[in-house]
Amino acid sequence: MLDWTDPHYRYMARQITRHTWLYTEMVNAGAIVYGDPDRFLHRNECENPVALQLGGSEPELLAKASAKATEYGYDEINLNCGCPSPRVQKGAFGACLMNEVELVSNCLNAMQDAAPDCAVTIKHRIGLDKQTEYEPLAEFVGTLRDKTPCRTFIVHARNAWLDGLSPKENRDIPPLRYDYVYRLKNEFPDLEILINGGVKTNEEIAEHLHHVDGVMVGREAYHNPMIMQHWDSLFYGDTQPEITYEALVQRLYEYAQIQLAAGRGSILRHMVRHYLGIMHGLNGARVWRHILSDAEQLKPNRPELILEAWEHVARSLKD
């Protein structure tokens, strides 16, 4: 979710669902330690529960980044062992770490020691390249269970091909093996096992929850954010009214006003690029997307543009 789940997106998501855990985009631990931590760790106060996802393979560096993250109020720090991109592989982290379980153990232990009051978790694939056996996956998880305090495993139910496929192709071409993730939960009932990959509907989420402890939704929650509108009532038992489209638009307008007035370098385009899918499936959705992606209309940085785009949708809904 690089460049996707930034603070602007996470603010929007939190307005739609009060209880769902939010995850940052993957941040290189070195960027936090050697760069400007506020740039990478800034979050909105309303985001919790929220997890920081780190990329890295040096225990000491990951520990320093984890310690810094606790100062910013994150509830969870997640180690990414699932990203297959060549850029990440060059840094010797991401999915290729599944071949280095001892190193992963050292990383997780160092992170937990540095952030003792924060949950440290891992996200990984079911295997690498064209490996089809279940046993290496179980051995990877079992080793980490025995050698680290990590008890939450987020499993993308596809292999990561380190050669021959682009990151985009890695999200679609390797076949989904949900049964492997279900099997992990059966074999390791003491662990919290979350499933990820290809989930597009609330019905699919409900089905997975018969077999595992949780579901991570990525692309669908980005391109169709209002899929989250019913999550609090469906999966958390919350009886409060769900947010309406009109109320969400008003909150996003007010948020844009605050961000632009703060003068931290934010421009309207940085925010509204995350809003394009809000009206997915509604009459007027095309006009909404057109207005909020029009460079000329965005240039003046007028937050009122959000309200004007909504007016077009509202009229379409009445017609």
Coordinates of all heavy atoms in Angstrom, one line a residue, residues 36-82:
D36 N 13.8 12.4 8.7 CA 12.9 13.2 9.5 C 11.8 12.3 10.0 O 10.8 11.9 9.3 CB 12.3 14.3 8.7 CG 11.3 15.1 9.5 OD1 11.1 14.9 10.7 OD2 10.6 16.0 8.9
P37 N 11.8 11.8 11.3 CA 10.8 10.9 11.8 C 9.4 11.4 11.7 O 8.4 10.7 11.5 CB 11.2 10.6 13.2 CG 12.1 11.7 13.6 CD 12.8 12.1 12.3
D38 N 9.2 12.7 11.9 CA 7.9 13.3 11.8 C 7.3 13.2 10.5 O 6.0 13.0 10.3 CB 7.9 14.8 12.2 CG 6.6 15.3 12.6 OD1 6.0 14.8 13.6 OD2 6.1 16.3 12.0
R39 N 8.1 13.2 9.4 CA 7.5 13.0 8.1 C 6.9 11.6 7.9 O 5.9 11.5 7.2 CB 8.7 13.2 7.1 CG 8.3 12.9 5.6 CD 9.5 13.0 4.7 NE 9.2 12.5 3.4 CZ 10.1 12.3 2.4 NH1 11.4 12.5 2.7 NH2 9.7 11.8 1.2
F40 N 7.5 10.6 8.5 CA 7.1 9.3 8.3 C 6.2 8.7 9.4 O 5.4 7.8 9.1 CB 8.3 8.3 8.2 CG 9.2 8.7 7.0 CD1 10.4 9.3 7.2 CD2 8.9 8.3 5.7 CE1 11.3 9.7 6.2 CE2 9.7 8.6 4.7 CZ 10.9 9.3 4.9
L41 N 6.2 9.3 10.5 CA 5.4 8.8 11.6 C 4.2 9.7 12.0 O 3.4 9.3 12.9 CB 6.3 8.6 12.9 CG 7.5 7.6 12.7 CD1 8.3 7.6 14.0 CD2 6.9 6.2 12.4
H42 N 4.1 10.9 11.4 CA 3.0 11.7 11.8 C 1.7 11.0 11.5 O 1.5 10.3 10.5 CB 3.0 13.0 10.9 CG 1.7 13.8 11.0 ND1 1.4 14.5 12.1 CD2 0.7 13.9 10.1 CE1 0.2 15.1 11.9 NE2 -0.2 14.7 10.7
R43 N 0.7 11.1 12.4 CA -0.6 10.6 12.3 C -1.6 11.5 12.9 O -1.3 12.4 13.7 CB -0.7 9.2 13.0 CG -0.4 9.2 14.5 CD -0.7 7.9 15.1 NE -0.6 8.1 16.6 CZ -1.6 8.5 17.3 NH1 -2.8 8.8 16.8 NH2 -1.5 8.6 18.6
N44 N -2.8 11.3 12.5 CA -3.9 12.1 13.1 C -4.3 11.4 14.5 O -4.3 10.2 14.6 CB -5.1 12.0 12.2 CG -4.8 12.6 10.8 OD1 -4.6 13.8 10.7 ND2 -4.8 11.7 9.8
E45 N -4.7 12.3 15.4 CA -5.0 11.8 16.7 C -6.2 10.8 16.7 O -6.3 9.9 17.6 CB -5.4 13.0 17.7 CG -4.2 13.8 18.0 CD -3.1 13.0 18.8 OE1 -3.5 12.1 19.6 OE2 -1.9 13.2 18.5
C46 N -7.1 10.9 15.7 CA -8.2 10.0 15.7 C -8.0 8.6 15.1 O -8.9 7.8 15.1 CB -9.3 10.7 14.8 SG -8.9 10.8 13.1
E47 N -6.8 8.3 14.7 CA -6.5 7.1 13.9 C -6.6 5.8 14.7 O -6.9 4.8 14.2 CB -5.2 7.2 13.2 CG -5.2 8.2 12.0 CD -3.8 8.2 11.3 OE1 -3.2 7.1 11.3 OE2 -3.4 9.2 10.8
N48 N -6.3 5.8 16.0 CA -6.2 4.6 16.8 C -7.5 3.8 16.7 O -8.6 4.4 16.7 CB -5.8 4.9 18.2 CG -4.5 5.6 18.3 OD1 -4.4 6.8 17.9 ND2 -3.4 5.0 18.7
P49 N -7.4 2.5 16.7 CA -6.2 1.7 16.7 C -5.5 1.7 15.3 O -6.1 1.5 14.3 CB -6.7 0.3 17.0 CG -8.1 0.2 16.5 CD -8.6 1.6 16.7
V50 N -4.2 1.9 15.3 CA -3.4 2.1 14.1 C -2.0 1.4 14.3 O -1.4 1.4 15.3 CB -3.2 3.6 13.7 CG1 -2.5 4.3 14.8 CG2 -2.5 3.7 12.4
A51 N -1.6 0.7 13.2 CA -0.3 0.0 13.2 C 0.6 0.7 12.2 O 0.2 1.1 11.1 CB -0.6 -1.4 12.8
L52 N 1.9 0.7 12.6 CA 3.0 1.2 11.7 C 3.6 -0.1 11.1 O 4.0 -1.0 11.8 CB 4.0 1.9 12.5 CG 5.3 2.2 11.8 CD1 5.1 3.3 10.7 CD2 6.4 2.7 12.8
Q53 N 3.7 -0.1 9.8 CA 4.3 -1.2 9.1 C 5.8 -0.8 8.7 O 6.0 0.2 8.0 CB 3.6 -1.6 7.9 CG 4.2 -2.9 7.3 CD 3.4 -3.5 6.1 OE1 3.6 -3.2 5.0 NE2 2.3 -4.2 6.5
L54 N 6.7 -1.5 9.2 CA 8.1 -1.3 9.0 C 8.7 -2.2 8.0 O 8.4 -3.4 7.9 CB 8.9 -1.4 10.3 CG 8.8 -0.2 11.3 CD1 9.7 -0.5 12.5 CD2 9.1 1.1 10.7
G55 N 9.6 -1.7 7.1 CA 10.5 -2.6 6.3 C 11.9 -2.5 6.7 O 12.4 -1.4 7.1
G56 N 12.6 -3.6 6.8 CA 14.0 -3.6 7.2 C 14.4 -5.0 7.5 O 13.6 -5.9 7.6
S57 N 15.8 -5.1 7.6 CA 16.3 -6.4 8.0 C 17.5 -6.3 9.0 O 18.1 -7.3 9.3 CB 16.8 -7.2 6.7 OG 17.8 -6.4 6.0
E58 N 17.7 -5.1 9.5 CA 18.8 -4.9 10.5 C 18.1 -4.8 11.9 O 17.4 -3.8 12.1 CB 19.6 -3.7 10.1 CG 20.3 -3.8 8.8 CD 21.1 -2.5 8.5 OE1 21.8 -2.0 9.4 OE2 20.9 -2.0 7.4
P59 N 18.3 -5.7 12.7 CA 17.6 -5.7 14.1 C 17.9 -4.4 14.8 O 16.9 -3.8 15.4 CB 18.3 -6.9 14.8 CG 18.6 -7.8 13.7 CD 19.1 -7.0 12.6
E60 N 19.1 -3.8 14.8 CA 19.4 -2.6 15.5 C 18.6 -1.4 15.0 O 18.0 -0.6 15.7 CB 20.9 -2.3 15.5 CG 21.3 -1.1 16.3 CD 22.8 -0.9 16.4 OE1 23.5 -1.7 15.9 OE2 23.2 0.2 16.9
L61 N 18.5 -1.4 13.6 CA 17.8 -0.3 13.0 C 16.3 -0.4 13.2 O 15.7 0.6 13.5 CB 18.1 -0.3 11.5 CG 18.1 1.0 10.7 CD1 19.0 2.0 11.3 CD2 18.4 0.8 9.2
L62 N 15.8 -1.6 13.1 CA 14.4 -1.8 13.4 C 14.0 -1.5 14.8 O 13.0 -0.9 15.1 CB 14.0 -3.2 13.1 CG 13.9 -3.6 11.6 CD1 13.9 -5.1 11.3 CD2 12.6 -3.0 11.0
A63 N 14.9 -1.8 15.7 CA 14.7 -1.5 17.1 C 14.6 0.1 17.4 O 13.7 0.5 18.1 CB 15.8 -2.1 18.0
K64 N 15.5 0.8 16.8 CA 15.5 2.2 16.9 C 14.3 2.9 16.3 O 13.7 3.8 16.9 CB 16.8 2.8 16.2 CG 18.1 2.5 17.0 CD 19.3 3.2 16.3 CE 20.6 2.9 17.0 NZ 21.7 3.4 16.3
A65 N 13.8 2.3 15.2 CA 12.6 2.8 14.5 C 11.4 2.5 15.4 O 10.5 3.3 15.5 CB 12.5 2.3 13.1
S66 N 11.4 1.3 16.0 CA 10.3 0.9 16.8 C 10.2 1.8 18.1 O 9.1 2.2 18.5 CB 10.4 -0.6 17.2 OG 10.4 -1.4 16.1
A67 N 11.3 2.1 18.7 CA 11.3 2.9 19.8 C 10.8 4.3 19.5 O 10.0 4.9 20.3 CB 12.7 3.0 20.4
K68 N 11.2 4.8 18.4 CA 10.7 6.1 17.9 C 9.2 6.1 17.7 O 8.5 7.0 18.0 CB 11.4 6.6 16.7 CG 11.0 7.9 16.1 CD 11.3 9.1 17.1 CE 12.8 9.3 17.3 NZ 13.1 10.5 18.2
A69 N 8.7 5.0 17.1 CA 7.3 4.9 16.8 C 6.4 4.9 18.1 O 5.3 5.5 18.0 CB 7.0 3.6 16.1
T70 N 6.9 4.4 19.2 CA 6.1 4.4 20.4 C 5.9 5.9 20.9 O 4.9 6.2 21.5 CB 6.8 3.7 21.5 OG1 8.1 4.2 21.8 CG2 7.0 2.2 21.1
E71 N 6.8 6.8 20.5 CA 6.6 8.2 20.9 C 5.4 8.8 20.2 O 4.9 9.9 20.6 CB 7.9 9.0 20.6 CG 9.1 8.5 21.4 CD 10.4 9.2 21.0 OE1 10.3 10.2 20.3 OE2 11.5 8.7 21.3
Y72 N 5.0 8.2 19.0 CA 4.0 8.8 18.2 C 2.6 8.1 18.5 O 1.6 8.4 17.8 CB 4.3 8.7 16.7 CG 5.3 9.7 16.3 CD1 6.7 9.6 16.6 CD2 4.9 10.8 15.6 CE1 7.6 10.5 16.2 CE2 5.9 11.8 15.2 CZ 7.2 11.6 15.5 OH 8.1 12.6 15.1
G73 N 2.6 7.1 19.4 CA 1.3 6.6 19.8 C 0.7 5.5 19.0 O -0.5 5.3 19.0
Y74 N 1.6 4.7 18.3 CA 1.1 3.6 17.5 C 0.8 2.4 18.4 O 1.4 2.2 19.4 CB 2.1 3.2 16.5 CG 2.2 4.1 15.3 CD1 3.1 5.2 15.3 CD2 1.3 4.0 14.2 CE1 3.1 6.1 14.2 CE2 1.3 4.9 13.1 CZ 2.2 5.9 13.1 OH 2.3 6.8 12.1
D75 N -0.3 1.7 18.1 CA -0.7 0.6 18.9 C 0.0 -0.7 18.5 O 0.0 -1.7 19.3 CB -2.2 0.3 18.7 CG -3.0 1.6 19.1 OD1 -3.2 1.8 20.3 OD2 -3.5 2.3 18.2
E76 N 0.5 -0.8 17.3 CA 1.2 -2.0 16.8 C 2.3 -1.6 15.9 O 2.2 -0.6 15.2 CB 0.1 -2.8 16.1 CG 0.6 -4.1 15.4 CD -0.4 -4.8 14.6 OE1 -1.6 -4.8 15.0 OE2 -0.1 -5.3 13.5
I77 N 3.3 -2.4 15.9 CA 4.4 -2.3 14.9 C 4.5 -3.6 14.1 O 4.7 -4.6 14.7 CB 5.7 -1.9 15.5 CG1 5.6 -0.6 16.4 CG2 6.8 -1.7 14.5 CD1 6.8 -0.3 17.3
N78 N 4.4 -3.5 12.8 CA 4.3 -4.7 12.0 C 5.5 -4.8 11.1 O 5.9 -3.8 10.4 CB 3.0 -4.6 11.1 CG 2.9 -5.8 10.2 OD1 3.2 -5.7 9.0 ND2 2.3 -6.9 10.7
L79 N 6.2 -5.9 11.1 CA 7.3 -6.2 10.2 C 6.9 -6.7 8.9 O 6.2 -7.8 8.8 CB 8.3 -7.1 10.9 CG 9.6 -7.5 10.0 CD1 10.4 -6.2 9.8 CD2 10.4 -8.5 10.7
N80 N 7.2 -6.1 7.8 CA 6.8 -6.5 6.5 C 7.7 -7.6 5.9 O 8.9 -7.3 5.6 CB 6.7 -5.4 5.5 CG 6.1 -5.8 4.1 OD1 6.7 -6.6 3.5 ND2 5.0 -5.2 3.7
C81 N 7.2 -8.8 5.8 CA 8.0 -9.9 5.1 C 7.2 -10.4 3.9 O 7.2 -11.6 3.7 CB 8.3 -11.0 6.1 SG 9.4 -10.6 7.5
G82 N 6.5 -9.5 3.3 CA 5.6 -9.9 2.2 C 5.8 -9.2 0.9 O 5.4 -9.6 -0.2

